[in-house]
């Protein structure tokens, strides 16, 4: 059972079985001391001096989750600050800031997966486009008063891996430790109850779902469900509390396996994008005057196209008017692409431009094929121009933003 309370902009997540007094820094001026009781959450003090006491009715106890959007929390309930705290630090720990700075350096320098891996970071970051796509989250997972650092992908789109984390760091005796890191076939997630979940695969016939408790320095297995059709094709599910890959001593049914997996609910981690703190970390991405000009022109095109899209969706228009407006919207994005192509010629080397031209020719072929395919469904009808224009506009808009990323 979980309850969530919002106090002065801070998220307080209430979970079963966590009781005590915790302090959370809500702003530069206010620190709330929060008392967890069986009957709910009692705010007993504000550091600003203004007494406050309000009862938030829940039946569970309290677990305070910090994030990059709040200031660094008090690291111990007695009010003493952790030695790693720094007023100028983004995370509250210079050790964590160093990791974020390294990730930012890689993203700004367009490192590939091997370069991230070579620098001790999760190689999955090499598949991301910019600092908008990677973020951080702070949470005290072992209850020792020091927050752990999770680094992962920021996304507003539906994503099968949304909620997973790439890297997991902690600090012990002022030294930063990398607890674990994800891979494509070995992904880690944070569960609602603070458990760490692992989804691993060694092929179609063998996979593991394991669940761990963070002990402060390492992950300790609590339970695992192994699917191993190589071991037993007819009854491939096994349960273990000792080994997530090799223990076949306790066979279980598919229904039992599903029940165990569904009992662990993943948390959609509210990451703060590195782009939001890049300037504070001293690594704000430098944008050339040429790219800035291109960005402004693309934004202007987008605003013009969105105005037409609004009319298409909301105005009572004839089919002839729909066809004409959709053509104009397609033309806006086509013009923006041509302008951007000119900027790319100025920015890229001859070798880079040759490679991009080959890529662009392939894209044009795919676009025209997609337009022809959707138009064929309405061939000869009055809607054919409309569906062809809107498809062309959507595909060209998408391509504009792909090309914009290539501009330095």
């Amino acid at each position: 059972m979980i309850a969530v309370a919002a106090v002065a902009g801070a998220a307080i997540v209430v979970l079963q079985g966590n009781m005590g007094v915790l302090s959370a820094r809500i702003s530069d001026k206010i620190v709330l001391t929060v008392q967890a009781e069986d009957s709910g959450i009692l705010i007993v003090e504000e550091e600003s001096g203004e007494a406050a006491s309000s009862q938030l009715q829940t039946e569970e106890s309290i677990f305070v989750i910090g994030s990059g959007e709040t200031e660094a929390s008090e690291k111990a309930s007695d009010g003493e600050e952790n030695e790693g705290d720094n007023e100028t630090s983004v995370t509250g720990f210079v050790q964590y800031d160093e990791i974020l700075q390294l990730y930012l350096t890689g993203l700004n320098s367009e490192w590939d997966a091997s370069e991230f891996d070579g620098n001790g970071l999760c190689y999955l970051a090499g598949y991301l486009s910019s600092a908008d796509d990677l973020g951080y989250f702070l949470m005290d997972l072992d209850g020792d008063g020091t927050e752990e650092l999770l680094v992962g992908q920021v996304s507003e789109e539906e994503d099968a891996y949304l909620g997973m984390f790439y890297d997991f760091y902690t600090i012990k005796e002022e030294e930063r430790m990398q607890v674990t890191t994800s891979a494509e076939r070995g992904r880690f997630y944070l569960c609602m109850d603070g458990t760490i979940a692992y989804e691993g695969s060694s092929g179609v016939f063998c996979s593991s779902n394991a669940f761990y408790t963070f002990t402060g320095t390492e992950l300790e297995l609590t339970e695992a469900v192994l699917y191993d059709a190589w071991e037993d094709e007819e009854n491939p599910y096994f349960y273990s509390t000792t080994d997530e890959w090799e223990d076949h001593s306790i066979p279980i049914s598919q229904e039992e396996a599903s029940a165990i997996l569904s009992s662990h609910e993943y948390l959609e981690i509210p990451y703060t994008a590195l782009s939001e703190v890049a300037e504070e970390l001293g690594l704000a991405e430098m944008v050339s005057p040429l790219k800035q000009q291109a960005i402004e022109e693309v934004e202007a095109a987008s605003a013009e196209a969105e105005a037409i899209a609004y009319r298409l969706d909301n105005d009572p228009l004839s089919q002839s008017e729909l066809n004409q407006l959709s053509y104009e919207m397609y033309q806006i994005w086509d013009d923006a692409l041509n302008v951007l192509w000119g900027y790319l010629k100025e920015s890229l080397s001859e070798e880079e431009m040759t490679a991009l031209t080959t890529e662009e020719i392939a894209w044009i072929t795919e676009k025209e094929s997609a337009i022809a395919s959707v138009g064929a469904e309405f061939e000869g009808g009055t809607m054919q121009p409309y569906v062809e224009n809107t498809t062309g506009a959507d595909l060209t808009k998408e391509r504009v933003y792909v090309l914009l990323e290539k501009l330095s």
Side-chain angles (χ1 to χ4, degrees), residues 38-213:
D38 290 337
S39 60
I41 308 169
L42 182 65
I43 302 171
V44 297
E45 183 181 358
E46 289 190 8
E47 190 180 76
S48 62
E50 297 180 7
S53 179
S54 58
Q55 189 78 21
L56 305 181
Q57 296 299 325
T58 65
E59 294 181 356
E60 289 77 36
S61 299
I62 186 169
F63 190 51
V64 175
I65 294 182
S67 77
E69 296 182 358
T70 64
E71 297 293 327
S73 299
E74 295 284 342
K75 301 303 187 294
S77 59
D78 61 6
E80 294 181 5
E81 294 187 359
N82 185 284
E83 292 180 2
D85 286 350
N86 188 317
E87 290 183 359
T88 62
S89 170
V90 168
T91 63
F93 301 92
V94 293
Q95 299 95 323
Y96 290 159
D97 284 4
E98 290 169 353
I99 289 296
L100 301 188
Q101 288 168 338
L102 192 55
Y103 266 115
L104 267 171
T105 297
L107 290 167
N108 290 345
S109 302
E110 299 182 351
W111 287 356
D112 61 20
S114 64
E115 289 173 299
F116 276 100
D117 184 57
N119 281 277
L121 305 175
C122 181
Y123 74 87
L124 296 175
Y127 301 134
L128 302 180
S129 300
S130 71
D132 292 327
D133 302 321
L134 193 69
Y136 74 97
F137 178 68
L138 298 170
M139 178 177 176
D140 184 3
L141 286 167
D142 59 353
D144 69 347
T146 298
E147 292 163 320
E148 277 65 50
L149 172 69
L150 301 181
V151 178
Q153 183 178 355
V154 178
S155 176
E156 296 180 356
E157 301 176 359
E158 292 186 9
D159 190 331
Y161 300 155
L162 187 62
M164 69 171 279
F165 59 83
Y166 286 2
D167 270 334
F168 174 6
Y169 295 91
T170 190
I171 294 175
K172 296 299 174 189
E173 297 181 357
E174 300 186 36
E175 292 293 324
R176 183 184 64 241
M177 293 175 51
Q178 184 183 50
V179 179
T180 193
T181 187
S182 286
E184 287 171 293
R185 302 185 73 174
R187 304 183 299 273
F188 286 94
Y189 297 79
L190 177 61
C191 296
M192 297 291 287
D193 61 358
T195 299
I196 303 298
Y198 169 79
E199 296 181 2
S201 173
S202 60
V204 176
F205 298 102
C206 188
S207 61
S208 175
N209 287 81
F211 304 93
Y212 305 87
T213 299

Side-chain angles (χ1 to χ4, degrees), residues 355-372:
L356 185 58
T357 300
T358 301
E359 179 184 313
E360 190 71 4
I361 292 171
W363 172 79
I364 291 172
T365 301
E366 292 176 4
K367 181 193 71 169
E368 291 178 346
S369 175
I371 291 173

Side-chain angles (χ1 to χ4, degrees), residues 298 302 305 329-337 393 396-397 400-401:
V298 169
S302 179
M329 183 170 63
Y330 184 8
Q331 194 63 49
I332 288 169
W333 285 115
D334 196 49
D335 289 345
L337 188 147
T396 307
K397 173 185 176 180
V400 163
Y401 284 101

Side-chain angles (χ1 to χ4, degrees), residues 225-298:
V225 173
L226 173 63
Y227 174 86
D228 191 347
W230 294 115
E231 178 71 17
D232 189 332
E233 185 175 356
E234 295 184 1
N235 301 288
Y237 292 96
F238 302 90
Y239 178 81
S240 179
T241 58
T242 59
D243 191 300
E244 57 270 68
W245 286 107
E246 301 296 333
D247 185 4
H248 300 90
S249 61
I250 307 177
I252 58 175
S253 67
Q254 183 176 353
E255 291 74 17
E256 290 173 316
S258 297
I260 293 169
L261 300 186
S262 63
S263 69
H264 295 278
E265 184 179 359
Y266 291 176
L267 172 69
E268 188 173 314
I269 302 173
Y271 290 113
T272 297
L274 295 190
S275 58
E276 296 181 20
V277 295
E279 187 172 344
E280 296 173 69
L281 290 167
L283 287 166
E285 184 177 6
M286 299 299 294
V287 178
S288 68
L290 187 66
K291 183 167 184 176
Q292 184 59 42
Q293 185 176 350
I295 290 172
E296 291 172 2
E297 295 202 29
V298 169

